[in-house]
């Protein structure tokens, strides 16, 4: 089974631009979560989508948004980029079995640098 | 705000030693807890998942325990190997897959 894939792997943008990151979950997984990882703040939860609906949302400004498609692929968008948005963005997918969440599988991440 | 603390922040041990990594969290009403490892420049690999109704999980040389009442989890690594060198992260969720991560323990196993 193919793992979680994220594209692109590396990205350089300038302040004020917007960016879209993509995540393809493991086949059959309906839950996709997004995290931001920085040296100062560590790993922080952005949001989770399940069956095309946002199920949970972290404490990030509205510039951060996401969506999930019917095939469970997910995108996240960051508008009006700031220098502080430079980070590794990680996507994770998981399944739900008998009502219980199962192990999360993470992708390799997209490293975003904002200049 | 949920706080997840991991002690120690860094650990260096000789190969073959057994070791324990600690994780504490402020709210005992967790949904589940996961231990991950992260290798430099890479994503996370899940090691063990403990549901709130469970007390421990084992996989090979790894054993993780959960004590919700005291807000603690431990990851036990038996007979450590150089390949175990990585950062180990503890994460707790209170609903669905919204995980709160600790800052990690950086482990170095010396051959």
């Amino acid at each position: 089974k193919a793992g979680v894939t994220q594209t692109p792997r590396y990205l350089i943008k300038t302040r004020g631009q917007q960016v879209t990151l993509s995540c393809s979950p493991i086949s059959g997984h309906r839950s996709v979560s997004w995290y931001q990882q920085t040296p100062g703040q560590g790993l922080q939860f952005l949001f989770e989508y399940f069956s095309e609906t946002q199920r949970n949302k972290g404490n990030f400004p509205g510039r951060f948004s996401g969506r999930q498609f019917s095939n469970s692929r997910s995108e996240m968008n960051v508008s009006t980029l700031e220098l502080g948005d430079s980070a590794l963005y990680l996507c994770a997918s998981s399944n739900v079995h008998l009502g219980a969440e199962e192990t999360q599988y993470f992708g390799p991440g997209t490293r975003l640098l904002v200049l | 705000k949920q706080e997840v603390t991991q002690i120690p922040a860094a650990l260096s041990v000789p190969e073959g030693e057994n070791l324990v990594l600690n994780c504490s969290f402020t709210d005992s009403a967790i949904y589940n807890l996961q231990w991950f490892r992260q290798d430099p420049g890479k994503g996370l690999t899940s090691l063990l998942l403990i549901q709130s109704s469970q007390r421990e999980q084992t996989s090979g040389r790894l054993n993780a325990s959960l004590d919700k009442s005291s807000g603690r989890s431990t990851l036990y690594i038996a007979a450590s190997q150089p390949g175990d060198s990585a950062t180990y992260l503890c994460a707790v969720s209170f609903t669905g897959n919204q995980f709160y991560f600790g800052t990690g323990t950086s482990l170095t196993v010396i051959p």
Side-chain angles (χ1 to χ4, degrees):
Chain A
K1 224 180 213 183
V4 178
T5 58
Q6 292 188 244
T7 56
R9 292 292 312 279
Y10 303 93
L11 207 48
I12 299 176
K13 292 285 188 178
T14 57
R15 280 182 299 173
Q17 287 188 307
Q18 75 164 17
V19 66
T20 299
L21 312 180
S22 180
C23 172
S24 293
I26 290 173
S27 178
H29 286 190
R30 291 188 292 159
S31 169
V32 174
S33 301
W34 288 90
Y35 292 84
Q36 180 196 67
Q37 186 175 31
T38 60
Q41 299 295 319
L43 271 153
Q44 293 185 284
F45 174 82
L46 282 155
F47 29 65
E48 179 204 6
Y49 286 87
F50 182 82
S51 295
E52 302 180 65
T53 301
Q54 188 179 82
R55 187 160 69 162
N56 291 297
K57 188 177 187 305
N59 189 27
F60 276 80
R63 300 185 297 107
F64 292 82
S65 62
R67 59 178 176 169
Q68 186 180 33
F69 302 95
S70 58
N71 62 358
S72 291
R73 190 177 70 84
S74 177
E75 289 182 347
M76 68 162 281
N77 184 77
V78 187
S79 62
T80 320
L81 284 166
E82 300 177 359
L83 295 179
D85 297 333
S86 294
L88 179 66
Y89 290 88
L90 293 163
C91 162
S93 76
S94 69
N95 206 354
V96 177
H97 180 63
L98 298 178
E101 305 292 344
E102 295 196 332
T103 299
Q104 284 202 309
Y105 294 88
F106 279 77
T110 293
R111 188 164 295 280
L112 171 66
L113 177 61
V114 181
L115 301 176
Chain B
K1 183 186 175 187
Q2 308 300 337
E3 298 279 347
V4 182
T5 304
Q6 290 188 247
I7 294 173
L11 185 61
S12 184
V13 300
E15 182 177 1
E17 191 163 298
N18 302 326
L19 57 101
V20 175
L21 306 181
N22 297 293
C23 172
S24 61
F25 42 93
T26 52
D27 190 336
S28 62
I30 66 169
Y31 181 65
N32 64 38
L33 181 146
Q34 285 197 69
W35 282 93
F36 297 89
R37 69 175 277 170
Q38 186 172 30
D39 295 280
K42 297 191 177 180
L44 278 65
T45 301
S46 179
L47 299 172
L48 291 164
L49 166 69
I50 309 178
Q51 303 281 1
S52 61
S53 59
Q54 299 172 322
R55 294 295 301 272
E56 67 176 340
Q57 283 286 345
T58 298
S59 176
R61 295 181 294 109
L62 305 179
N63 175 275
S65 66
L66 173 63
D67 184 344
K68 289 197 302 178
S69 61
S70 66
R72 294 184 181 185
S73 175
T74 60
L75 178 66
Y76 175 82
I77 303 176
S80 58
Q81 303 171 357
D84 295 331
S85 298
T87 296
Y88 289 79
L89 294 153
C90 165
V92 299
S93 73
F94 301 92
T95 174
N97 283 318
Q98 182 170 359
F99 279 88
Y100 295 86
F101 279 82
T103 50
T105 294
S106 178
L107 173 66
T108 301
V109 180
I110 304 166

